[in-house]
Amino acid sequence: MLLEVSGLNVRYGRTHAVKSVDLTLAEGEIVTVLGANGAGKTTLLKALQGAVAPTSGTIRFAGRDITAFQPADRVRAGMMLVPEGRQIFVSMTVEENLLMGAYLRRDGQVARDIDAIYQRFPNLGQRRGMKASVLSGGEQQMLAIGRAMLGRPRLIMLDEPSLGLSPLFVNHLFDLIREMNADGISILLVEQNTGMALETASRGYVLELGSVVMADTAEALAGNAALAEAYLGGHAPAATSSHQTL
Ligand SMILES: Nc1ncnc2c1ncn2[C@@H]1O[C@H](COP(=O)(O)OP(=O)(O)OP(=O)(O)O)[C@@H](O)[C@H]1O
Ligand SMILES: [Mg+2]
């Protein structure tokens, strides 16, 4: 397994945000984590990134126990997070934002990799010298993903990347996720766009109030009407467009 989470617990004071979570992701897999607002999805990713400390449990990545690793050491090990809300630096240029993703690299290929990002996202290339604040929401999401790709990760963790994007951009985004995966990057995808996430992933986990209440193949989860009713706000997965209803 590339990623193996065992018995993970995270507490914020009296809030038990992540409860005894077990999760695995094989090299090359796309795995999705679904759940309603407040289910603990972001907290789980923050624990994987090293931004919050678990109260118990272990995180293994690429054969090592990284539970006590600092965030930068997790990046070095090959994990990159695209955070909720993108969190790009709007007062910096597009290119400076991309360079932030490469800050730990000491190889001489960063410029070449930035060029590859501009090939893939011409809108970013055309605006490389402009402040990132000029970008549309969709372009900002692409920038956040491009920044993560510049870390040359083995695993990219995406926290609700489709949030606030137009349907057209959502399609681009999911195409991009599949392309990155085809290039050998494993993907842990947190989404409320259940339909698209289950079409893209091979397996999924459903979190409710911090606990994994379902773990199955994406196909089985997509066909499970009870899942939608009980945990995801009452829409059948294929019809879910929770972002409009939030
Ligand atoms: N820094 C914090 N301090 C205290 N409680 C927090 C903090 N961050 C999150 N929580 C609480 O932990 C629980 C899980 O929150 P989390 O943000 O992980 O959920 P989520 O599944 O990502 O939700 P959303 O879909 O709205 O992004 C919630 O009850 C939330 O209020
Ligand atoms: Mg969240």
Side-chain angles (χ1 to χ4, degrees), residues 5-9 20-22 54-60 65 67-68:
V5 177
S6 311
L8 195 75
N9 287 283
S20 303
V21 166
D22 295 322
T55 45
S56 63
T58 58
I59 303 165
R60 294 184 65 79
D65 184 341
T67 316

Side-chain angles (χ1 to χ4, degrees), residues 12-13 15-18 35-44 46 52 84 159-160 190 192 207 246:
Y12 301 108
T15 304
H16 196 171
V18 170
N37 291 118
K41 306 180 297 296
T42 296
T43 303
L44 171 63
K46 284 184 173 169
V52 300
E84 192 171 22
D159 195 350
E160 300 207 36
V190 162
Q192 289 198 39
L207 281 183
L246 290 176

